[in-house]
Amino acid sequence: MLVNDHDPVPLSRQIESVRQGQVAWEYIQRGPDIFRIRIRRIVPSNASEIPVKARQGAVTGISRP
């Protein structure tokens, strides 16, 4: 569940570009002051998951042992 003070449409597009067809985005409450979105992982239509590999430098502030 995501709760935000504005409609996070760019986040929805980003998630869909990374996990195309694997995420359900459902508005529970749609503004004007609060946006509640239920985000669920769904099985892709071909039932095989293709893992997304992290790009070097894509995430900052996280160190690996």
Side-chain angles (χ1 to χ4, degrees):
M1 178 77 70
L2 172 68
V3 178
N4 208 358
D5 62 353
H6 64 278
D7 195 353
V9 173
L11 178 61
S12 170
R13 290 183 189 140
Q14 183 178 13
I15 290 172
E16 183 61 24
S17 72
V18 173
R19 293 286 187 183
Q20 187 174 8
Q22 296 182 28
V23 178
W25 182 277
E26 176 188 1
Y27 285 93
I28 306 302
Q29 182 178 354
R30 196 169 195 168
D33 299 323
I34 297 290
F35 290 80
R36 294 180 196 276
I37 297 107
R38 177 179 295 127
I39 304 169
R40 294 182 303 114
R41 182 175 177 211
I42 58 175
V43 177
S45 59
N46 64 3
S48 65
E49 182 177 340
I50 302 169
V52 174
K53 294 183 180 181
R55 292 178 297 218
Q56 188 69 4
V59 178
T60 59
I62 297 176
S63 60
R64 293 184 177 177

